[in-house]
Amino acid sequence: MKATIYEGNRTFSVIEKELEEPIKGEVRIKVAYSGVCGTDVHIYHGMMDKRVNIPVTIGHEMSGVIDALGNGVSGFSIGEKVVVRPLDDRGAKPSDKGFNHICEDLKFIGIDSPGSMQQYWNVPAFTLHKLKPETDLKLAALIEPLAVAVHDVRLSELKAGETAVVLGGGPIGLLVAMVAKETGAQVIVSEVNENRVTKAKELGLNAVNPVNIDLVEYVKAQTEGRRADVVFEVAGVQQALDVMTEIAGIRGRILMVAIHGQKKEVDLFKFFWKELKLIGARVYEKEDYEKAIDLITKNELPFEQMITEVQPLSNIQQVFEGIDNNPDGLKVLMDCQA
Ligand SMILES: NC(=O)c1ccc[n+]([C@@H]2O[C@H](COP(=O)([O-])OP(=O)(O)OC[C@H]3O[C@@H](n4cnc5c(N)ncnc54)[C@H](O)[C@@H]3O)[C@@H](O)[C@H]2O)c1
Ligand SMILES: [Zn+2]
């Protein structure tokens, strides 16, 4: 079988290796597609060399078919379409209060242990979610990032008739916007990359560029002065933190989706003044995965347009170099059987 290996120093290799039998409690998946996540790009840039166990196969946004069952695995059969929820919560303790998706000792499969950018992938059976026979495997590679969006919107308690602003129209922001719009809320995407603004419009979203317009005035105009009920911070930059407290209205909820590796400045006075709420949102829970699977299987949203490139596994080095040179692209999928 073919596997890709991150070697460190912005280098991937593609190797041939023996097919491994799944151990007790694990299944072997024939991986169909594996999407490139911002985190994978971070790893490629060497930002996570202390955490990943180089040399290692990375990847966690995938779809596939069960290929072999280890001892003790029940409820699954060979040939079934599945996705992996890449959270290894075996270290969860009572002090995690049942929130195993963010348990203190959480291991992220594909970062802390080998990932999906290979032809076959052995994973614990408890990570699996079944797809429907009719679920498209290419679109199914979007289920992991879509589940992030579903989780964010669920925690925001966004309702029909409310207004949400999504700061950042990258893959995650656009999925958040699509899911938010499904609630019946008015949704505004703010994105500084003009090509991504265009892309957001093609996806049927109301998107603006805060470089060209005054975002605060725009949001006020769209809400008869009420400003946003919900703000999703999905850009990860100081400017977004500066504007989020401006555009949030009275008792507005701000969802912190972006990962800020460093401490940043936030206008806390606005939290007092408008009784704002700041809500952290990290990955997803089982129900978010099920909802994402349902959305992908129904395929009523323009998911297909989120996939801007599909490449064979053997092109992995060019794919990561290409992503660095093309900030407009959205989801790149590796075809793991090509
Ligand atoms: N909470 C979670 O569990 C979770 C899961 C996945 C990703 N994330 C985080 O979500 C964020 C978004 O992920 P992504 O893959 O879409 O990243 P991305 O970098 O592709 O998207 C960020 C977008 O924000 C835009 N942007 C930059 N400055 C802006 C500004 N001032 N105003 C508006 N837009 C601006 C960029 O042009 C870009 O399109 C990242 O921080 C990522 O780490 C969090
Ligand atoms: Zn991801």
Side-chain angles (χ1 to χ4, degrees):
M1 61 167 269
K2 243 192 231 102
T4 67
I5 308 282
Y6 169 62
E7 308 267 10
N9 199 20
R10 295 188 181 228
T11 309
F12 283 95
S13 59
V14 182
I15 61 160
E16 275 297 330
K17 66 175 204 184
E18 288 286 312
L19 205 57
E20 274 171 47
E21 290 309 317
I23 61 169
K24 188 165 180 284
E26 293 201 340
V27 302
R28 183 171 68 215
I29 297 174
K30 183 177 182 183
V31 184
Y33 295 94
S34 185
V36 178
C37 172
T39 306
D40 299 324
V41 178
H42 246 62
I43 292 173
Y44 165 72
H45 286 158
M47 313 290 274
M48 296 169 77
D49 283 0
K50 285 212 180 79
R51 180 165 167 194
V52 294
N53 197 10
I54 301 169
V56 69
T57 302
I58 64 168
H60 58 269
E61 300 185 358
M62 55 68 69
S63 62
V65 169
I66 295 184
D67 185 63
L69 302 170
N71 279 333
V73 175
S74 59
F76 291 99
S77 34
I78 291 170
E80 266 181 320
K81 291 181 179 176
V82 290
V83 287
V84 167
R85 193 163 54 96
L87 306 181
D88 182 349
D89 59 6
R90 282 176 284 191
K93 300 183 292 294
S95 54
D96 296 309
K97 303 178 187 172
F99 296 110
N100 288 12
H101 70 297
I102 49 170
C103 67
E104 197 179 346
D105 291 333
L106 186 74
K107 300 271 178 280
F108 198 96
I109 303 172
I111 301 176
D112 302 308
S113 59
S116 57
M117 291 193 180
Q118 49 184 335
Q119 248 179 322
Y120 293 87
W121 190 31
N122 293 5
V123 291
F126 68 79
T127 64
L128 299 179
H129 285 257
K130 289 186 192 197
L131 304 178
K132 295 276 186 311
E134 69 270 23
T135 312
D136 183 285
L137 284 176
K138 201 184 272 178
L139 294 182
L142 298 176
I143 286 169
E144 195 268 356
L146 180 59
V148 170
V150 168
H151 185 68
D152 302 339
V153 174
R154 179 163 68 83
L155 294 193
S156 79
E157 298 181 13
L158 182 67
K159 293 183 286 291
E162 290 190 322
T163 298
V165 179
V166 181
L167 299 173
I172 299 290
L174 292 174
L175 290 170
V176 167
M178 284 190 210
V179 175
K181 206 176 152 195
E182 282 293 287
T183 65
Q186 169 178 221
V187 178
I188 300 163
V189 177
S190 170
E191 166 61 54
V192 292
N193 174 333
E194 201 52 51
N195 291 330
R196 283 191 165 178
V197 173
T198 304
K199 186 76 188 184
K201 287 179 180 163
E202 285 166 12
L203 296 171
L205 298 165
N206 176 14
V208 295
N209 189 333
V211 174
N212 304 333
I213 59 142
D214 182 331
L215 185 63
V216 180
E217 288 308 317
Y218 182 80
V219 172
K220 279 165 73 179
Q222 297 295 307
T223 55
E224 293 167 346
R226 291 190 311 275
R227 307 185 192 217
D229 301 289
V230 172
V231 180
F232 295 95
E233 204 299 76
V234 205
V237 297
Q238 182 63 51
Q239 292 97 309
L241 300 180
D242 293 341
V243 85
M244 72 183 188
T245 47
E246 291 290 332
I247 56 177
I250 300 287
R251 289 237 170 144
R253 291 98 73 193
I254 300 175
L255 270 285
M256 191 49 61
V257 181
I259 303 172
H260 290 272
Q262 264 97 43
K263 285 187 186 175
K264 307 251 171 77
E265 197 169 294
V266 175
D267 186 351
L268 293 176
F269 178 80
K270 294 280 180 353
F271 283 85
F272 155 75
W273 198 247
K274 298 191 271 190
E275 294 194 351
L276 301 180
K277 281 203 180 90
L278 182 61
I279 302 166
R282 182 174 164 207
V283 290
Y284 25 64
E285 296 170 80
K286 275 186 186 151
E287 62 182 289
D288 304 313
Y289 245 68
E290 288 302 321
K291 169 101 189 275
I293 289 169
D294 199 45
L295 286 170
I296 288 288
T297 303
K298 282 192 189 132
N299 194 17
E300 288 165 355
L301 294 172
F303 295 123
E304 187 82 46
Q305 294 178 56
M306 292 288 302
I307 301 169
T308 44
E309 210 180 319
V310 182
Q311 290 278 351
L313 215 44
S314 49
N315 284 357
I316 187 160
Q317 182 69 33
Q318 294 93 305
V319 164
F320 278 80
E321 288 172 9
I323 287 171
D324 271 354
N325 299 325
N326 176 21
D328 303 343
L330 290 173
K331 254 318 144 195
V332 182
L333 301 189
M334 308 299 304
D335 180 340
C336 295
Q337 299 300 322

